Amino acid sequence: FFGVPFLPYGLLVLAITFVGSVDYVPAILYRATQQPEKFFLFNFGSFALASVLSLGMVLAGFGATGALIGQLAGGSIILLVAIVIAFRARGETWYGHALRPALRFGLPLVPHQLATWGLRFSDRWLLGLLLLLPNGQLLPTGQRLAAVGAYSVGYQIGNLVAIVAMSFNAAWTPYFYRVADEPEGPEIYREIFTLTTLAFLWMALGLASTASEVVGVISRPGYAPAAQVLPVIAFASVSQALYTMLVGVVLFRRQTAVLPLLTVASAFVNIVLNLSLIPRVGVMGAAWATFAAYGLFALLTFAVATRLYPVRPDYPRLLSGLLLTLAGLAVARVLTPMDEPLLIRGLIHVAVTLAVGGVLLALARKPIGRLRLRMAAAQVRAQPVAV
């Protein structure tokens, strides 16, 4: 990345990547064996350990290098824990007949993940190369670094929606696989899709409406542009979250060969839009390129998922939820008395978010009731019949 020397930063990142390369093994083991408590403890423990060590190194005065060293130390400890968990698992048997279908399923995910990397990180890489002065010359190095830093802050906070979606999907996917082909499966999927979408929209509203206050509290004054980036990325993360829910259908039907096509197309659009918009409108060009690319990603995945499974979204509720969210965002923008203290503005925006959340919750009451009935019926169907 522009302005980031390989030594020590690149080398530390490579080491962090190496020690984290088997973190997924315990997570998948606990998901497959339906042990959500252990799944949560392992993932939360990994995150907490790395965060505490990184924060400790930063507070000790080691700066960015210390943050990476803390992550490396935490990742190394988790690596040892993961190895112990993996070797304690039972069933050390070679299933040769499973190799071919496993490769058929897994190999397409390699280009898919590489293209996903391009989709997620090309904006920050291109920002460092394309930010221009009004006269068409490149911004000075220091200003470009500051702009990339501000964009990254807004991106990281706005991306919380997608992070929550991935965490939820990790717990939801095993249940979906169990009931997907049951009579109640499509209806359960429909209600879950509706409820999670409303929740993602509400989270995006909360982040977008309080963007200036959040950025003002956690970052330096020079990072003010992050408050403009954050709302766009938050709603882009809603599209990423919807993709996370929809791709489960593609994986369930084992049609992974189509995923690289979707990801490459979305990454290509993201790169082209970044190349076009960043020189014209700066960091906001990168934000809107991300918004458009993730929107396309979700739409393409939706088109594939509907061909593989009876996905029947509750369009009236989803549209109502979207309009309510946008209305709430508009109200929050209007109620932004810049002459008021930061705390007062934050409280106003939180109040707007909570008010919209109450309406969204009322909108979700019937789907929640139907979901409970469907899940109860599926549970009864799964009970063994006494002979």
Side-chain angles (χ1 to χ4, degrees):
F1 284 93
F2 166 77
V4 181
F6 180 77
L7 293 175
Y9 303 111
L11 186 61
L12 284 170
V13 168
L14 285 177
I16 292 168
T17 305
F18 173 75
V19 298
S21 60
V22 297
D23 282 2
Y24 69 92
V25 174
I28 290 179
L29 174 65
Y30 293 142
R31 288 174 63 188
T33 55
Q34 298 181 32
Q35 300 182 72
E37 298 85 1
K38 291 184 178 180
F39 174 86
F40 171 79
L41 286 174
F42 178 80
N43 284 279
F44 179 77
S46 302
F47 169 78
L49 180 63
S51 299
V52 168
L53 291 175
S54 295
L55 181 60
M57 293 293 289
V58 171
L59 294 177
F62 292 95
T65 304
L68 293 175
I69 292 174
Q71 290 187 46
L72 178 59
S76 300
I77 295 171
I78 295 301
L79 171 63
L80 297 176
V81 174
I83 291 173
V84 171
I85 293 172
F87 276 93
R88 289 181 63 186
R90 296 293 183 263
E92 299 87 350
T93 304
W94 173 255
Y95 294 98
H97 64 279
L99 181 61
R100 181 170 294 180
L103 290 174
R104 189 183 304 117
F105 179 88
L107 283 178
L109 297 178
V110 176
H112 165 66
Q113 291 292 349
L114 290 173
T116 299
W117 185 90
L119 176 60
R120 291 178 180 174
F121 294 104
S122 59
D123 50 359
R124 276 149 286 180
W125 182 63
L126 291 171
L127 273 172
L129 303 176
L130 299 175
L131 285 171
L132 304 178
L133 291 166
N135 60 9
Q137 295 182 341
L138 280 175
L139 279 173
T141 300
Q143 294 182 37
R144 275 185 285 165
L145 283 173
V148 174
Y151 179 85
S152 297
V153 169
Y155 191 103
Q156 289 297 106
I157 302 172
N159 201 46
L160 284 173
V161 179
I163 293 173
V164 171
M166 287 187 287
S167 300
F168 171 80
N169 195 54
W172 150 251
T173 300
Y175 178 80
F176 171 64
Y177 287 179
R178 191 166 70 246
V179 303
D181 282 334
E182 297 294 330
E184 299 84 8
E187 292 303 319
I188 290 175
Y189 185 88
R190 170 188 169 94
E191 307 303 352
I192 285 288
F193 189 82
T194 299
L195 294 172
T196 53
T197 302
L198 294 178
F200 298 150
L201 287 170
W202 182 68
M203 285 187 61
L205 170 63
L207 291 170
S209 62
T210 61
S212 60
E213 292 80 38
V214 171
V215 172
V217 168
I218 70 172
S219 63
R220 300 193 300 267
Y223 281 66
Q228 297 176 308
V229 170
L230 196 161
V232 180
I233 298 300
F235 282 94
S237 291
V238 174
S239 294
Q240 186 181 354
L242 296 182
Y243 155 78
T244 302
M245 297 297 297
L246 291 163
V247 77
V249 171
V250 182
L251 298 174
F252 174 69
R253 294 301 190 201
R254 297 182 173 87
Q255 298 300 312
T256 53
V258 72
L259 289 178
L261 302 177
L262 310 184
T263 320
V264 169
S266 303
F268 176 77
V269 168
N270 193 26
I271 292 171
V272 169
L273 288 176
N274 273 300
L275 290 172
S276 174
L277 295 176
I278 290 174
R280 290 175 170 83
V281 292
V283 294
M284 290 307 299
W288 285 113
T290 299
F291 180 86
Y294 274 119
L296 175 64
F297 198 22
L299 286 174
L300 292 175
T301 310
F302 176 78
V304 173
T306 53
R307 291 178 175 270
L308 300 175
Y309 191 76
V311 178
R312 295 186 293 268
D314 188 346
Y315 289 112
R317 275 189 172 77
L318 294 177
L319 180 59
S320 298
L322 176 61
L323 293 177
L324 280 168
T325 303
L326 295 178
L329 183 59
V331 171
R333 288 298 179 93
V334 171
L335 298 177
T336 307
M338 298 306 295
D339 55 336
E340 294 290 344
L342 188 70
L343 177 61
I344 300 299
R345 283 187 280 131
L347 290 175
I348 292 173
H349 293 158
V350 169
V352 172
T353 301
L354 292 176
V356 173
V359 181
L360 291 175
L361 184 60
L363 195 64
R365 285 185 63 185
K366 287 187 177 180
I368 292 173
R370 292 195 296 262
L371 178 63
R372 287 174 175 169
L373 292 175
R374 299 292 183 184
M375 293 180 72
Q379 182 68 23
V380 170
R381 188 181 299 277
Q383 296 297 326
V385 178
V387 178

